[in-house]
Each structure stands twice: as C-alpha cells, then as structure tokens.
Amino acid sequence: MLRSTTPAVRSLKISNSLTRRDFLLGGAATLLLAGCGGGAGGESGRETRTIEHKYGRTAIEGMPGRVVSVGYTDHDPLLALGVRPVGIRRWFGDPPRGVWPWARDELGGATPELLPADAINYEQVAALEPDLIVGISSGMTRNDYDTLSEFAPTLPQSDRWPDYGVPWQQQTLVIGRAVGREERARRLVEGLERRFEKVRREHPEFDGATVSVIGTGDGLFYLYSTVDRSVKFFTSLGFGLTEEAARIAPDNRYYVEIGEEQFGVADADVLVCFSASPADEERIRSNRLFRRLDAVREGRVVYLSENDDPLKGALSFNTVLSHPYLLENFVPRLSRLVREAREG
C-alpha cells in the first residue's frame, strides 16, 4: 500500500477477493438504501435502527451524541451529516485536527481526539465514552468488533464488499442511518451524483479517455485496477483503463505488482503515480524505461508523493466530502491533460 507507511494502512490493498464491478453512479442511492436495513423515509433519530453488517446486526437507539470514528475515512461522511466525532482515526499526513481542507468547515471549532493509525486503541476509545462507534473503513476484525461493542453500539462494514472497499455512496447512507440522519444522507449522495453527471456533460473529452494509476515504494511497482479508491474517481468521470492494463489488473483485485519491463502497460492519456516518499518519486522519474512512456515525455503525469498533499489525500479518501474537492480543484487539470493527449 503506497498511500501511507503505517503497517495497518498498508493492509488496505491486500484483499483481492472483490468480485463485483465498479459502482455505477446513476440510481445508486436507491439501490444502496435497500441494503441498509429497516425502512427509509425521513429522519429516524427517535427510533431504534437495526443495521446489518459482516458480524451480525447493530441496534442504535435515539440520536448518538458522542460518536467515535475508528475508520480511516468515516469522519468525512459524519461531518458532512453535521455530526462532529469526539474521536477520529489518523490515516496519513498530518492535517490540522486530523481533517483535510475539504472537511474543515464542517469540523468548525471542534477538537476531536486523534486515534492512532496502526491499530485500534481500545482503552482510548472507551475513555471517550462513545454512544456510537463507526468503523466502516476500519478493516476491524471480529475481535475488534466484539471488544468495541462492549463500550457502545459498533458499526463495521457490510460483507458485500472486501475490507476498505465500501463505495462512498453506501458509506454515507449507512452512517446516515446510524446517526438518525438518513434523509440528509440520501440528499448528499444524490446531490454529489448529480455533480458528477454535470461534470461529465461539461467535459465530454473524459468519455473514452484512459487513465493509469500506479504506485511505487521499496523498489516495487504496482498497477491499480478499477476497484481501487483512486481509480474509481476517474471511472466515475468517464475514464477507463487501457485494454492491456485492464487485462493485467482485473476487477477482482485491487492491484497487481508489475516489473520495470511492464511500464508500457501504464501508458495512458493521464498517468497518476503514487509514491511512498519523495525519494521513491525521484527514483521512478529517473528510471530509463519509465521515461520512455509517452505520458512521461509529454508531461501528462500527476506525481503524488508528499503525504500532506491534499490532492493525494482526496484521491485516497474517496468520500462524500473529498470528491467535491476533486471536482473543483482537479478536474480543470485533468481536462488540460486529456486535451494535450488528444492533440499530441
């Protein structure tokens, strides 16, 4: 895993059991709500809500006042829903108070306690006296769930997806139901889906454009598939992998390791390169075979190696808050790169 150097986060890319295809934007909210359990309708904060997940069911009563987010990205949808967690888990980088620029307005003046990235600290979570523990993007084990459930109702992810593979739509809707703000969550999802559709209409050049996302660190190289969190952003805009890249990195695996002699499969209209460190970025930039790629020679590579880079964070998070940041700040650059590829 090349988004971070912490052991727990490196496991984000280990699961290769995904068998579903990438989630389509159109009508996703309606389909996803069917998996949340219970009825839909308006806000349900006064009712007991039962949510099914990979370890059974969790019943949540009333409106939780003290929410702890043990998932790496779950604080984003919580904040979007107007819930300020009393504790959030670090992932990578060192953003102020643990949140990236796209979530700071929603955080306001709150100062949540920061939980470690490498493992869930049970004692620290218990000391926060939570009413609800959210861990959809945590990769929590059965033992984690059993232990955390002794402190408060705990929400792991559904078993419909592999660890860390829950789509942002489902993440938002399930968390919305858990905190009694289901209707608000639905509006957020539908609104963001409309924004994606609008961007696609405004940028027809994206339809049929190709993208490759690769990673490098510790002398190894990776090509990411359409189930990777970053690649999903591009496919939502109309991009696709090249035929050769799709063959090598099939949609039942997050990524495949490639050798230097396979760099050619990563050549695309836009090439995104995640590096574990600036030194790793410099090594791949100076690689003789990498420098032969058209995307490299023509300057159509987006290099991401600094862990405090908001673009690296937003492409890694894949949430209801990070996507608007990308649509506003990254799409113009993407459009320019695609046009250069077509003209060049």
Side-chain angles (χ1 to χ4, degrees), residues 227-269:
V227 300
D228 174 70
R229 302 175 72 86
S230 322
V231 177
K232 285 181 181 179
F233 170 75
F234 295 101
T235 57
S236 296
L237 290 175
F239 285 79
L241 302 186
T242 65
E243 184 176 339
E244 184 67 6
R247 183 184 66 80
I248 292 178
D251 63 0
N252 64 346
R253 304 181 66 179
Y254 278 111
Y255 68 94
V256 291
E257 185 177 337
I258 59 174
E260 295 181 21
E261 70 282 357
Q262 295 175 291
F263 279 157
V265 304
D267 214 352
D269 294 331

Side-chain angles (χ1 to χ4, degrees), residues 23-341:
F23 221 82
L24 297 175
L25 283 175
T30 301
L31 175 61
L32 290 169
L33 277 170
C36 292
E43 307 298 86
S44 52
R46 298 183 183 88
E47 303 172 355
T48 298
R49 300 164 312 279
T50 301
I51 300 176
E52 296 183 3
H53 49 73
K54 67 188 297 183
Y55 299 128
R57 297 181 175 183
T58 294
I60 305 164
E61 298 181 2
M63 298 282 281
R66 296 181 61 82
V67 180
V68 173
S69 173
V70 297
Y72 291 107
T73 66
D74 293 330
H75 52 280
D76 269 14
L78 283 166
L79 289 168
L81 290 163
V83 177
R84 293 171 177 169
V86 296
I88 61 178
R89 191 171 180 181
R90 291 182 180 274
W91 186 0
F92 63 89
D94 191 25
R97 292 179 292 160
V99 301
W100 292 85
W102 55 82
R104 287 174 189 161
D105 286 346
E106 287 76 9
L107 182 65
T111 55
E113 184 165 342
L114 300 184
L115 310 176
D118 57 349
I120 298 175
N121 186 314
Y122 303 142
E123 293 78 10
Q124 190 177 9
V125 173
L128 291 171
E129 300 181 342
D131 300 319
L132 174 67
I133 301 169
V134 178
I136 290 178
S137 62
S138 68
M140 71 171 65
T141 65
R142 179 75 203 212
N143 182 67
D144 290 331
Y145 172 72
D146 289 342
T147 303
L148 293 172
S149 295
E150 296 178 5
F151 312 143
T154 299
L155 186 62
Q157 70 167 68
S158 164
D159 60 4
R160 292 173 60 190
W161 295 276
D163 285 351
Y164 314 102
V166 177
W168 67 266
Q169 296 101 321
Q170 177 77 351
Q171 179 189 37
T172 305
L173 291 166
V174 173
I175 290 176
R177 180 163 178 76
V179 299
R181 303 186 182 189
E182 187 172 356
E183 184 59 33
R184 184 168 177 174
R186 188 204 303 269
R187 291 196 301 269
L188 285 170
V189 169
E190 292 176 345
L192 182 50
E193 287 179 337
R194 285 193 297 270
R195 288 191 63 177
F196 269 103
E197 293 165 358
K198 182 174 183 290
V199 170
R200 290 188 67 158
R201 289 194 303 270
E202 293 172 344
H203 294 277
E205 69 272 17
F206 291 162
D207 282 322
T210 57
V211 65
S212 286
V213 178
I214 64 173
T216 178
D218 299 327
L220 302 175
F221 307 100
Y222 306 91
L223 175 67
Y224 292 94
S225 77
T226 55
V227 300
D228 174 70
R229 302 175 72 86
S230 322
V231 177
K232 285 181 181 179
F233 170 75
F234 295 101
T235 57
S236 296
L237 290 175
F239 285 79
L241 302 186
T242 65
E243 184 176 339
E244 184 67 6
R247 183 184 66 80
I248 292 178
D251 63 0
N252 64 346
R253 304 181 66 179
Y254 278 111
Y255 68 94
V256 291
E257 185 177 337
I258 59 174
E260 295 181 21
E261 70 282 357
Q262 295 175 291
F263 279 157
V265 304
D267 214 352
D269 294 331
V270 177
L271 174 57
V272 179
C273 180
F274 282 94
S275 297
S277 68
D280 284 304
E281 177 185 327
E282 183 57 35
R283 277 191 285 271
I284 195 170
R285 278 179 177 267
S286 62
N287 183 283
R288 178 177 57 86
L289 296 176
F290 184 73
R291 291 168 64 180
R292 291 181 179 177
L293 301 183
D294 289 342
V296 177
R297 291 188 296 103
E298 297 172 9
R300 291 183 276 106
V301 184
V302 178
Y303 294 99
L304 300 170
S305 60
E306 296 287 350
N307 281 339
D308 288 320
D309 182 352
L311 178 56
K312 183 176 184 179
L315 278 173
S316 300
F317 260 54
N318 185 40
T319 65
V320 69
L321 286 183
S322 68
H323 280 323
Y325 177 89
L326 290 171
L327 293 177
E328 179 178 352
N329 295 282
F330 189 40
V331 162
R333 182 178 178 185
L334 280 179
S335 180
R336 184 179 69 254
L337 294 176
V338 171
R339 291 197 305 271
E340 290 175 355

